[in-house]
C-alpha cells in the first residue's frame, strides 16, 4: 500500500508567485500538514511526494519512507508519473491533494479498509448548497437534487492495476486533464465506494481558504484535532 501526495500544481487560483502548498500556515509550510498525518499512519510502505520540477531541490525530507518525484503539467499527469514511479509490487494506492491540510487519520484509515474490499474508493461529503449546472457560464441548464449530491474530496484510493488501466484508457481517448481519478475509473464502469469525508477536509484554493485554515488552527477546532 502506498500513498501519493500531490503537490505538483501551480496554485493559479490562489495567485501567489510561489505555489500555495508552500504558503505558511502557523509558520509551517502548508504541505507539511497532510504529509505529517500520512506519516503518522504506519501502513504505507512508501509515500510518493509529487513536486513541481522547479521546486524539487527546495524540499529536503529525511525520511526513508518518503520519495520525491516530479509532477506533470496537469494533475492527471502528476498522478500518472507517480503510478510509473511506484514499486512493482504495489497493490493499492491512496491519493491525496496536499492542499487539503485537515484530512483526518480516520478518513485515511476508512479509505484503507474500504479499498481492500471495493478496489475503488472516493471520500465524499454531502452537499449543503444545491448544485446547479451551467454549460455556458451564463444560464442554468439543470438543478440537481440536493440530497443525491456530494462533494468529492480526497483521499481517493484504488487497486493499483485498476487505476493504471483507467489512466491508460483515458490517455488513449484523449482525456488528459481530469480533476480527479474517480472520473477516470468511472469510464471503466467500475463501481466506486464512498467513505464519509468531512467539512474540515476542504481544499485550500483561494486566499480566504488559508485565512479560514489559520482560524481553525488558532481555535484548535480543525478536523485533524478532533
Ligand atoms: N496538482 C499536481 N500537479 C498538477 C496540478 C495539481 O500535483 N499539475 C495537485 C495540487 O498541488 C493540489 C491538487 O493537485 O494539491 C489539487 O489541485 P488544485 O487544487 O487544482 O491545485 P492547483 O492546480 O495547484 O491550483 P489551480 O488549479 O488554482 O492552479
Ligand atoms: Mg488545478
Amino acid at each position: 500500500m502506498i500513498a501519493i501526495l500531490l503537490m505538483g500544481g501551480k496554485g493559479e487560483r490562489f495567485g501567489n508567485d510561489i505555489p500555495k502548498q508552500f504558503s505558511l500556515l502557523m509558520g509551517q509550510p502548508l504541505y507539511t500538514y497532510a504529509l505529517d498525518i500520512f506519516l503518522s499512519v504506519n501502513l504505507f510502505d512508501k509515500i510518493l511526494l509529487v513536486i513541481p520540477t522547479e521546486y524539487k531541490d527546495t524540499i529536503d525530507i529525511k525520511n526513508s519512507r518518503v520519495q520525491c518525484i516530479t509532477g506533470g503539467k496537469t494533475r492527471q499527469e502528476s498522478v500518472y508519473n507517480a503510478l510509473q514511479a511506484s514499486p512493482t509490487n504495489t497493490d493499492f494506492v491512496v491519493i491525496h491533494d496536499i492542499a487539503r491540510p485537515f484530512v483526518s487519520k480516520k478518513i485515511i484509515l476508512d479509505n484503507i479498509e474500504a479499498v481492500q474490499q471495493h478496489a475503488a474508493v472516493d471520500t465524499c461529503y454531502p452537499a449543503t448548497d444545491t448544485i446547479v449546472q451551467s454549460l455556458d457560464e451564463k444560464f442554468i441548464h439543470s438543478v440537481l437534487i440536493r440530497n443525491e449530491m456530494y462533494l468529492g474530496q480526497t483521499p481517493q484510493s484504488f487497486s493499483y492495476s485498476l487505476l493504471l488501466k483507467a489512466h491508460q484508457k483515458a490517455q488513449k481517448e484523449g482525456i488528459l486533464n481530469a480533476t480527479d481519478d474517480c472520473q477516470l475509473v468511472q469510464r471503466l464502469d467500475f463501481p466506486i465506494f464512498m467513505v464519509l469525508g468531512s467539512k474540515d477536509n476542504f481544499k485550500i484554493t483561494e486566499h480566504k481558504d488559508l485565512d479560514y485554515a489559520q482560524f481553525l488552527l488558532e481555535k484548535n477546532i480543525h478536523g485533524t484535532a478532533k
Side-chain angles (χ1 to χ4, degrees):
M1 175 100 49
I2 66 157
I4 296 173
L5 297 185
L6 293 172
M7 56 177 291
K10 289 198 166 73
E12 276 166 7
R13 286 168 293 177
F14 196 81
N16 276 12
D17 289 343
I18 300 169
K20 61 188 179 184
Q21 56 272 29
F22 297 99
S23 301
L24 295 184
L25 185 53
M26 301 286 267
Q28 218 182 294
L30 173 61
Y31 74 85
T32 60
Y33 286 83
L35 175 60
D36 286 349
I37 299 160
F38 271 78
L39 278 169
S40 76
V41 174
N42 281 318
L43 298 168
F44 297 111
D45 302 316
K46 256 211 168 5
I47 295 178
L48 299 183
L49 196 59
V50 187
I51 303 169
T53 332
E54 335 56 300
Y55 290 88
K56 252 197 115 182
D57 296 338
T58 65
I59 293 196
D60 180 27
I61 293 166
K62 290 181 182 55
N63 186 314
S64 58
R65 284 167 59 217
V66 180
Q67 185 186 329
C68 295
I69 67 158
T70 305
K73 281 191 290 298
T74 62
R75 184 190 186 280
Q76 186 178 331
E77 205 178 307
S78 288
V79 173
Y80 189 71
N81 287 358
L83 294 178
Q84 296 296 311
S86 300
T88 43
N89 61 349
T90 301
D91 48 3
F92 297 105
V93 295
V94 177
I95 301 174
H96 185 62
D97 294 334
I98 218 150
R100 299 180 187 274
F102 301 140
V103 60
S104 65
K105 214 165 163 171
K106 178 176 184 338
I107 292 175
I108 299 170
L109 293 175
D110 287 351
N111 265 261
I112 290 174
E113 194 186 331
V115 76
Q116 294 177 75
Q117 204 187 330
H118 299 283
V121 177
D122 196 2
T123 301
C124 302
Y125 193 72
T128 49
D129 290 335
T130 297
I131 309 278
V132 301
Q133 184 187 31
S134 170
L135 301 173
D136 60 5
E137 298 179 16
K138 285 193 186 121
F139 291 94
I140 285 176
H141 293 96
S142 50
V143 179
L144 304 168
I145 298 167
R146 194 182 64 197
N147 58 16
E148 293 178 355
M149 294 301 128
Y150 294 80
L151 304 179
Q153 304 184 332
T154 66
Q156 297 185 349
S157 308
F158 308 95
S159 113
Y160 176 84
S161 55
L162 176 72
L163 188 61
L164 186 63
K165 199 166 142 198
H167 271 258
Q168 287 166 344
K169 179 172 193 282
Q171 285 171 15
K172 232 184 260 160
E173 293 172 354
I175 311 287
L176 302 172
N177 199 7
T179 52
D180 81 341
D181 293 287
C182 284
Q183 59 196 274
L184 302 184
V185 170
Q186 259 223 314
R187 298 174 64 83
L188 297 171
D189 286 327
F190 196 92
I192 301 170
F193 186 75
M194 293 199 288
V195 304
L196 183 63
S198 85
K199 199 158 174 101
D200 290 339
N201 186 26
F202 62 92
K203 185 155 60 77
I204 307 282
T205 304
E206 301 166 12
H207 270 268
K208 273 202 172 137
D209 300 323
L210 195 68
D211 295 341
Y212 182 55
Q214 179 87 21
F215 168 81
L216 294 178
L217 281 168
E218 279 162 7
K219 298 249 181 248
N220 199 28
I221 51 171
H222 52 96
T224 319
K226 283 177 199 157

